[in-house]
Amino acid sequence: MVPSVNKLKGLLLCGALFWLSGCTSGAGRLPYDAWWLGLGAPHYMEVWIETADAVDINDRAFRRAMSGVGGSSPKNLRGDPRGWPEHPGAGATKRVLGADLTRLLYVRWQSLVEPQTYEAYIVIPKATQQAMLKGEKAFCKFDSKWITDYRNMLTVGLAPGGIARVWLGGQCLKPIDVARVQADVVEVGPSGGKNEGRYALPLKPAAKAYIEKYGIPYGSW
């Protein structure tokens, strides 16, 4: 069951107090120092991530585990934003230090191409949590070595229409599908309604040119 907004806010407050206390342990049984959170968007479908928060299996919250710009806009309209790549990259990433296995992600973002503001609650299945603990033999092409790798990278793809798609991958392991979530529109608009409806950034010239020529490929994500 997805927690209510008020419950999430309570968890996030506890997370803030947790960090203020100076306690940074919590990876406990993880076979690595920390897991990674990555966010991105299809080519030209630029986003501004207001916040990406995580709640671990011990109900500790980690606020703003990620924020900022997401997406890339190749020049000369060489990119293709339709659908998701077969092997999605990690996007812009950040280590979530001190967290145990995650059970919930909350993402609030501005879809700059529409423009629209969305929020999504993403429940991480137990099967995904268990996969994050399992070491697998993997061949790394970049240095031609076999290693024991772990799927410790959660990647969230954000697309127009409020689509959030999640994968779990590792440095040298193929990503696996985790979830596809339909986000809700944030009625107060960008920046919590505190910015008079203004969005964080203008579109880059390449993104604007793509949208003007081809439009937004709704339904492909």
Side-chain angles (χ1 to χ4, degrees), residues 1-4 6-19 25-26 29 35 53-63 96 98-105 123-124 126 129:
M1 180 178 179
V2 177
S4 67
N6 288 336
K7 182 175 181 181
L8 179 64
K9 287 180 178 178
L11 289 171
L12 297 178
L13 176 60
C14 290
L17 293 175
F18 167 76
W19 282 110
S25 63
R29 59 200 181 105
W35 54 270
D53 308 329
V55 179
D56 74 7
I57 58 175
N58 299 312
D59 279 348
R60 292 177 304 179
F62 297 80
R63 298 188 65 178
V96 186
D100 206 318
L101 297 169
T102 183
R103 70 171 185 83
L104 177 70
L105 297 174
V123 176
I124 305 301
K126 289 186 177 179
Q129 296 169 1

Side-chain angles (χ1 to χ4, degrees), residues 42-43 80-90 141 151 155 165-170 173-178 220-221:
H43 287 320
D80 185 357
R82 295 169 298 177
W84 301 105
E86 183 178 357
H87 302 293
K141 293 182 179 179
R151 287 189 168 90
T155 300
R165 183 76 176 270
V166 187
W167 300 270
L168 175 68
L173 290 171
K174 180 181 177 181
I176 58 177
D177 287 324
V178 173
S220 66
W221 302 294

